[in-house]
Amino acid sequence: MVYHFKSRRIIYGLTLLFIALSGFAQMPIFKRYYIADIPGLGWLAQFYVTHAIHYALAAVLMGLCAYVVLDYYFARKTSGTKRIQITKDTRIAASAQLKIAALSGLIITGFFMVVKNLSGIYFPHGVVIGLDLLHLLFAMVLLGATAYTWVRRRTWIL
Amino acid sequence: MSSPISRRHFLKTSVFAAGTAIVGTGAANAAITSDEEKESLVTLIDISRCIGCEECVYACRDANAHKFADPKKPFPKMYPDRVPVEDWSDRRDVTDRLTPYNWLYIQYASATTKEGENISLTIPRRCMHCQNPPCVKLCPWGAAKQEKNGLSRIDSQICLGGSKCKKACPWDIPQRQTGTGLYLDLLPAFAGNGVMYKCDRCYQKIDKGEQPACIEACPEDVQTIGKRSDIIKMAKDLAKEMDGYIYGLDENGGTNTIYVSPVPFDQLVYDTGKGKPHMHPVKDTMAAGSNLAIAMVIAPIAGAAAAVGKYYRQMKEEA
Ligand code: SF4
Ligand code: SF4
Ligand code: SF4
């Protein structure tokens, strides 16, 4: 693991864990299946709490994504200098490409879902259902790919 | 002792009260038949006029009977055991609370007027049709929807009956009927629990330019429906005229139902509990989300700025 990526990996990992938990908590399942009864997890059954946490973490995740994408771009631009981890030849792993696609899908659908939730905004009913299902699908893809790269110890860049 | 007669007298002597009904009908028709209007439809409920006859309650049932559930028994067993079976199908005639078969009920309240007189009031209660309805916005499947005219409703073809809308609703309005709906075709033992039901503003009648059934049926013209700006003005004028109080204008960030009462709402004594909504002040439940939306705009900009800052620092160091 490249040392200077460590802090961003920790932020990303924690954000992903709690944004996924608060996201799945939007479905009324944690109470039904006793998960919210586990001490310390009661908040998972409080819809306004999980809603706010999901939004706040989405802000963190988007901030981190913007930072990482631009940082990667600049690092490639300045390859050959002291920053040697990323060069012009650095490739993004296939699993990481899938994760990036899923993250992009989550951010785009999430953006429209946040807009829809503002007062006075009416999206067609089919669009709302589509956004809900796509957002869930992208989350499953991201979590699946993350589990794979975690087990296989795959890094984002080759 | 309560005296409904004096309460009625209180209103019937009000010249304003008579005026409202006429103006009200005009406002309603204008708004309901106008497609161009971008304003939401709002109802004014003058509780001082209501005599508790329940005509509205029965009109609601008749107009919406075709939407009610007809569940087949026995219901599939649900796991784990804590999942509650909510069955109103054998108690469809209950009218003293909200149920999946009773979307409007008459709440009895008592109060003391400024003059020290004890009065009783009857209050038609149903969904408030919030301007930014959490039941709709937080529904994880998009089963609940809000239409451009502001009414919110739950699609019984899509709802899985998880009851999140009821928990999100500051008044616990939606009511569940187990054993009906889409969940039966999915994993009835492990996910879902029926369909949630509530007042849908008689959308099928509004679509045809008609008035909601409860408004049409009321012999006392308790409710008036119309454009938001018209109804707010009317409600404020009425409150001023009767030296009364308003509920619903600011509750939960604003609703499309405005009650006007001759006594302060916090002084009303009424039965509340399951299926019997309160009349407390309600803060805007969606406000935190709306405020955090701003953070979501700022965060990527901050992230990008941090990356640019880092780049320039490094360029300087290496220069
Ligand atoms: S009163 Fe409750 S059910 Fe009605 S729109 Fe508001 S949140 Fe939804
Ligand atoms: S608007 Fe229609 S559905 Fe709602 S309470 Fe009145 S009659 Fe019932
Ligand atoms: S029909 Fe009118 S007067 Fe009778 S209970 Fe309903 S709102 Fe009150």
Side-chain angles (χ1 to χ4, degrees):
Chain A
M1 190 197 301
V2 180
Y3 177 74
H4 91 273
F5 287 165
K6 200 172 174 182
S7 55
R8 69 171 75 167
R9 286 180 65 122
I10 292 170
I11 298 173
Y12 176 70
L14 283 174
T15 306
L16 200 61
L17 172 67
F18 284 98
I19 205 169
L21 269 178
S22 57
F24 282 107
Q26 298 309 308
M27 297 181 276
I29 48 173
F30 286 134
K31 175 107 177 108
R32 176 165 179 164
Y33 289 107
Y34 296 92
I35 295 159
D37 293 347
I38 298 169
L41 293 185
W43 59 275
L44 283 173
Q46 292 172 32
F47 296 120
Y48 287 109
V49 173
T50 53
H51 185 235
I53 289 175
H54 199 69
Y55 270 33
L57 291 177
V60 173
L61 189 65
M62 285 193 295
L64 188 66
C65 285
Y67 176 80
V68 170
V69 168
L70 262 189
D71 193 49
Y72 177 79
Y73 168 75
F74 288 136
R76 278 177 70 116
K77 220 172 122 178
T78 55
S79 67
T81 65
K82 275 188 215 160
R83 306 184 62 223
I84 46 157
Q85 287 97 5
I86 293 172
T87 70
K88 286 199 173 77
D89 299 326
T90 303
R91 280 181 300 121
I92 297 172
S95 58
Q97 287 180 19
L98 182 63
K99 289 200 280 189
I100 290 167
L103 272 167
S104 308
L106 280 166
I107 290 172
I108 293 165
T109 50
F111 168 81
F112 285 109
M113 289 166 87
V114 169
V115 171
K116 144 194 105 69
N117 284 351
L118 296 173
S119 191
I121 304 286
Y122 309 94
F123 281 6
H125 194 209
V127 173
V128 175
I129 296 172
L131 284 172
D132 287 338
L133 293 178
L134 274 176
H135 200 69
L136 180 63
L137 177 77
F138 285 128
M140 303 295 261
V141 170
L142 179 63
L143 291 180
T146 303
Y148 171 81
T149 50
W150 177 282
V151 172
R152 291 294 186 98
R153 302 206 134 268
R154 294 283 155 87
T155 51
W156 287 72
I157 48 175
L158 298 172
Chain B
M1 275 273 96
S2 295
S3 120
I5 309 280
S6 57
R7 168 178 51 84
R8 255 173 277 160
H9 175 74
F10 173 98
L11 289 163
K12 293 276 156 76
T13 50
S14 159
V15 179
F16 189 90
T20 325
I22 298 155
V23 176
T25 313
N29 291 338
I32 286 174
T33 51
S34 168
D35 283 339
E36 290 83 49
E37 292 298 345
K38 291 281 177 284
E39 277 190 82
S40 52
L41 283 175
V42 177
T43 40
L44 161 63
I45 301 182
D46 176 357
I47 63 177
S48 63
R49 293 172 74 93
C50 176
I51 55 170
C53 65
E54 290 193 334
E55 287 292 331
C56 52
V57 175
Y58 289 99
C60 176
R61 284 179 173 224
D62 288 348
N64 296 300
H66 63 287
K67 302 171 191 167
F68 294 162
D70 207 4
K72 296 207 171 33
K73 295 190 199 181
F75 301 147
K77 172 99 181 89
M78 293 185 286
Y79 296 96
D81 285 340
R82 69 153 49 162
V83 182
V85 173
E86 289 188 71
D87 181 19
W88 288 91
S89 60
D90 297 329
R91 292 173 288 164
R92 299 185 193 209
D93 50 356
V94 169
T95 57
D96 66 351
R97 56 163 286 174
L98 299 175
T99 78
Y101 300 91
N102 197 58
W103 302 350
L104 165 66
Y105 96 104
I106 301 300
Q107 188 167 46
Y108 286 82
S110 58
T112 309
T113 62
K114 288 183 203 95
E115 294 76 32
E117 187 187 3
N118 289 327
I119 58 165
S120 64
L121 291 162
T122 43
I123 314 171
R125 299 303 308 272
R126 47 139 174 94
C127 168
M128 302 284 289
H129 294 281
C130 303
Q131 283 189 285
N132 197 24
C135 59
V136 172
K137 301 295 177 90
L138 300 186
C139 173
W141 311 114
K145 50 186 152 183
Q146 187 184 31
E147 300 190 356
K148 276 210 172 90
N149 61 12
L151 71 81
S152 66
R153 61 190 177 99
I154 299 167
D155 190 329
S156 59
Q157 305 291 310
I158 301 171
C159 176
L160 297 175
S163 199
K164 181 182 180 185
C165 51
K166 183 180 180 184
K167 291 192 190 86
C169 171
W171 295 276
D172 296 348
I173 298 286
Q175 301 288 319
R176 175 162 53 195
Q177 173 61 46
T178 299
T180 184
L182 184 62
Y183 90 110
L184 293 173
D185 300 326
L186 302 172
L187 288 169
F190 302 107
N193 184 0
V195 171
M196 307 302 296
Y197 291 92
K198 71 170 190 75
C199 158
D200 61 13
R201 216 74 203 87
C202 285
Y203 70 93
Q204 79 284 7
K205 287 171 73 66
I206 287 189
D207 282 352
K208 287 192 260 170
E210 295 170 14
Q211 299 225 350
C214 56
I215 299 182
E216 239 169 22
C218 178
E220 300 293 323
D221 292 319
V222 167
Q223 297 193 62
T224 311
I225 189 165
K227 271 197 315 187
R228 185 164 185 85
S229 52
D230 290 346
I231 295 292
I232 289 177
K233 184 177 180 310
M234 205 178 283
K236 286 183 171 167
D237 288 349
L238 175 62
K240 206 166 158 196
E241 189 73 23
M242 69 160 78
D243 199 11
Y245 303 83
I246 285 178
Y247 185 81
L249 187 57
D250 301 316
E251 269 59 39
N252 201 23
T255 80
N256 291 324
T257 302
I258 301 173
Y259 288 92
V260 177
S261 159
V263 285
F265 287 90
D266 60 1
Q267 286 174 27
L268 291 176
V269 180
Y270 51 84
D271 203 14
T272 182
K274 284 186 178 165
K276 299 178 177 183
H278 63 78
M279 284 205 139
H280 305 152
V282 172
K283 65 169 181 43
D284 184 357
T285 51
M286 295 298 286
S290 304
N291 294 336
L292 280 165
I294 298 165
M296 280 191 233
V297 176
I298 297 167
I301 299 169
V308 172
K310 182 181 161 192
Y311 172 66
Y312 280 109
R313 265 199 319 279
Q314 271 167 350
M315 294 308 285
K316 247 195 209 158
E317 278 169 22
E318 284 169 14

